[in-house]
Amino acid sequence: MRGQPPKIEPERYAELLELLGAGLSMPTAAERMGVARATLYNLAARVPAMGEAMQRARAAAKAARKARHEPSESCYVNDQCRLPGCTAAATEARARRRAPQPAPAVVLPAPARRITLYELLAADDAQPLADSA
Ligand SMILES: [Zn+2]
């Protein structure tokens, strides 16, 4: 048996199903069981009833996750969730990305202001020359 990955004994099937039902991924469940993840896939293929039970446990975990999930774009994209909240979140996020980015604010130099002759004369009136005082 050297080099053979340890098998999961039937006594531990329930434990495995519990882990999967709790939402653990296959790799994490394998780690908890102390076996290689390939062992789980092999088990599912070798014992069809167990394979089906594992699938049901994972589906139940996924459904539970969905039932308590927060609507998000990531849920829509990664979990293919099509609940209204997630669909709306994804639509909104997409629209945000597609919206034209606001043009960077260009700071134009203020136009040089010319002082009119009138202003010049008015200033002179306000400040009379010293010799006319
Ligand atoms: Zn969702």
Side-chain angles (χ1 to χ4, degrees):
M1 289 284 280
R2 183 151 23 120
Q4 193 100 342
K7 284 185 175 167
I8 296 177
E9 301 305 323
E11 300 87 67
R12 300 191 70 196
Y13 286 0
E15 183 189 346
L16 171 59
L17 293 178
E18 209 172 294
L19 293 177
L20 294 177
L24 266 64
S25 65
M26 292 284 268
T28 309
E31 199 177 305
R32 288 281 183 87
M33 302 283 292
V35 298
R37 84 180 70 168
T39 304
L40 297 192
Y41 296 113
N42 289 342
L43 170 64
R46 198 163 44 80
V47 186
M50 189 54 187
E52 280 165 33
M54 288 164 71
Q55 226 162 35
R56 271 198 305 276
R58 298 181 71 201
K62 192 175 177 182
R65 202 162 46 235
K66 212 169 236 194
R68 63 167 186 270
H69 84 309
E70 288 282 314
S72 69
E73 182 195 19
S74 132
C75 185
Y76 179 93
V77 172
N78 299 322
D79 297 345
Q80 271 95 52
C81 171
R82 294 299 179 261
L83 291 178
C86 294
T87 304
T91 304
E92 216 172 276
R94 220 175 4 243
R96 253 199 318 274
R97 280 193 300 273
R98 281 191 189 153
Q101 300 299 308
V106 176
V107 180
L108 293 172
R113 196 169 161 281
R114 286 193 185 180
I115 296 174
T116 61
L117 182 59
Y118 175 81
E119 283 171 321
L120 210 57
L121 294 172
D124 277 347
D125 283 347
Q127 284 189 304
L129 295 172
D131 59 2
S132 70

